[in-house]
Amino acid sequence: QTGMFTYDPGFLSTAACQSAITYIDGDKGELLYRGYPIEQLATQCDYLDTCYLLLNGELPDAAQRGDFHKLVLHHTMVAEQMQFFLRGFRRDAHPMAILTGLVGALSAFYHDSTDINNPRHREIAAIRMIAKLPTLVAMAYKYGVGQPYMYPRNELSYAGNFLRMMFGTPCEDYVVNPVLERALDRIFILHADHEQNASTSTVRLCGSSGTNPFAAIAAGVACLWGPAHGGANEACLNMLEDIQAQGGISKVGEYMEKVKDKNSGVKLMGFGHRVYKNYDPRAKLMQETCNEVLAELGLENDPLFKLAKEVERIALEDDYFVSRKLYPNVDFYSGIVQRAIGIPVNLFTGVFALARTVGWIAQLNEMISDPEYKIGRPRQLYTGSVRRDIGAAK
Ligand code: SDX
């Protein structure tokens, strides 16, 4: 109570908007992209089909699929000058710091797709960002490890291209492992959109000012970086590695006690969700993908995966988590899969951003296409001083 209003802290975190793109039923643990269950998309489609669906509202037919795949793969290269932009960073810069800069910088190169109110500009910008994000993420990685950048190869799949740009070198041919390629493509699908999460709301609010599409997506990249949001996969893996370093499974109980101590501020990373009060359907698919990748790489006895399964088992039997409806979310296993593929921990959120770019764009397009949309302007409940005069203070 401020004497003026009854302040509801949840007010701003629950502002609603209307959308026809993604549906989540948090109680049922259901996730639909344009009406299709995530379980079907993740097992029967590929990421570019899912991009087409999110952008256009329908899955592509054979001709549309071929054209869209060709269009995206034709735009995977970035302007050569982007390398000079990278050189301004320290080698140990966090990839998300680099990516936030690189995505925003795209607006300096493509003047034919910067008018957010022009549908054709938005369409071109969408293709360019979906196509170039993997190249930019791989460049941020290569810059950090001091290896030469790998140019994209248009005969490869979207996920295969990313794997080669990440782990290939000019010294030898890179052979794409189909199991890892499929796993990565599925990770992209699972992260493609998720209705009005923090970064999507950021993109909508930023785009509502009429700024260019690249700047609006760069704002989404910056917001996703936070450990309570897209940075949770990196934080979750760091948490598992910390527990492992302290003794592994035997130390899980001790860690759980710390989590349950409100004063510790310690969260079980990869658990809980603003909307899901049941299992995050993406977490189950991510665990299956984890099993497939670890089996392919002969890592079934990966200690971190075994530790993660033990953490999940203990949490799902512990009243603190059960009573609060805290279940594993998409980030709980995604870090283990990416680590097994060879992606460094500090690049997990970059991969998340790469995958979520299409969702951000679809949501931005939906807002801008609504003739009724206006610039976002959340209201506030004022809780400061009532009017007073300086004279009285002297
Ligand atoms: C993503 O929004 C999206 O859709 C995001 C995302 C997407 O695809 O865009 O799904 C991606 O961001 C997934 C979430 C990744 N974040 C993490 O894994 C970080 C750890 N999780 C938490 O920080 C937390 O669960 C949130 C932020 C995700 C949700 O926090 P809320 O809204 O406070 O959760 P809640 O209201 O359900 O919490 C109920 C209780 C509270 O305790 P009490 O006040 O009732 O005593 O559970 C506690 C919370 O403090 N709690 C946790 C916890 N999450 C909530 N306690 C320990 N560990 C946790 N992880």
Side-chain angles (χ1 to χ4, degrees), residues 223-274:
C223 176
L224 188 76
W225 191 1
H229 188 15
N233 48 22
E234 177 178 350
C236 180
L237 201 91
N238 290 335
M239 171 190 76
L240 292 171
E241 287 183 334
D242 286 350
I243 298 172
Q244 188 63 22
Q246 289 162 33
I249 289 178
S250 63
K251 290 293 180 185
V252 172
E254 199 176 305
Y255 187 83
M256 292 302 197
E257 288 316 305
K258 219 186 291 179
V259 168
K260 292 185 237 177
D261 170 9
K262 287 307 238 183
N263 300 321
S264 74
V266 174
K267 297 276 188 195
L268 187 61
M269 301 314 280
F271 259 70
H273 199 273
R274 297 291 284 127

Side-chain angles (χ1 to χ4, degrees), residues 2 7 33 38 49 52-53 56 58 63 72-73 80 108 114 130 138 157 181 207 213 260 290 311 357 360 375 382 392:
T2 63
Y7 176 61
Y33 290 168
I38 191 69
D49 295 340
Y52 187 96
L53 171 68
N56 300 294
E58 297 297 337
V72 169
L73 290 171
E80 202 68 359
T114 52
I130 292 166
S157 71
E181 179 183 31
K260 292 185 237 177
C290 211
V311 166
T357 291
W360 288 330
I375 183 168
Y382 178 69

Side-chain angles (χ1 to χ4, degrees), residues 117-282:
N117 292 303
N118 179 328
R120 182 63 185 138
H121 278 221
R122 290 202 306 272
E123 188 184 354
I124 298 170
I127 293 295
R128 284 200 164 117
M129 284 190 272
I130 292 166
K132 297 177 193 309
L133 257 288
T135 310
L136 294 177
V137 173
M139 287 175 77
Y141 169 65
K142 286 297 197 187
Y143 181 73
V145 297
Q147 284 187 2
Y149 305 121
M150 295 294 285
Y151 286 97
R153 298 287 311 206
N154 294 345
E155 76 276 9
L156 296 175
S157 71
Y158 190 83
N161 227 340
F162 180 64
L163 283 168
R164 181 180 169 278
M165 289 190 286
M166 281 286 293
F167 304 118
T169 69
C171 317
E172 56 201 14
D173 290 343
Y174 178 82
V175 178
V176 175
N177 177 321
V179 174
L180 303 192
E181 179 183 31
R182 183 75 201 114
L184 203 51
D185 192 81
R186 183 177 294 177
I187 288 174
F188 294 159
I189 292 174
L190 296 179
H191 288 85
D193 192 49
H194 212 239
E195 56 126 290
Q196 306 312 316
N197 56 83
S199 53
T200 298
S201 304
T202 300
V203 168
R204 279 180 174 255
L205 192 58
C206 185
S208 72
S209 73
T211 189
N212 69 74
F214 303 101
I217 300 306
V221 174
C223 176
L224 188 76
W225 191 1
H229 188 15
N233 48 22
E234 177 178 350
C236 180
L237 201 91
N238 290 335
M239 171 190 76
L240 292 171
E241 287 183 334
D242 286 350
I243 298 172
Q244 188 63 22
Q246 289 162 33
I249 289 178
S250 63
K251 290 293 180 185
V252 172
E254 199 176 305
Y255 187 83
M256 292 302 197
E257 288 316 305
K258 219 186 291 179
V259 168
K260 292 185 237 177
D261 170 9
K262 287 307 238 183
N263 300 321
S264 74
V266 174
K267 297 276 188 195
L268 187 61
M269 301 314 280
F271 259 70
H273 199 273
R274 297 291 284 127
V275 178
Y276 288 122
K277 300 312 169 193
N278 192 329
Y279 229 90
D280 180 338
R282 302 169 299 175

Side-chain angles (χ1 to χ4, degrees), residues 281-300:
R282 302 169 299 175
K284 283 187 186 130
L285 290 158
M286 197 61 81
Q287 188 180 28
E288 286 166 20
T289 306
C290 211
N291 281 319
E292 289 163 18
V293 167
L294 294 175
E296 169 68 13
L297 300 173
L299 296 171
E300 298 91 326

Side-chain angles (χ1 to χ4, degrees), residues 328-358:
N329 58 48
V330 67
D331 294 302
F332 190 64
Y333 286 104
S334 70
I336 298 170
V337 186
Q338 293 187 65
R339 174 178 160 272
I341 291 173
I343 296 169
V345 180
N346 70 0
L347 206 73
F348 291 174
T349 312
V351 170
F352 193 154
L354 179 175
R356 184 55 58 88
T357 291
V358 66

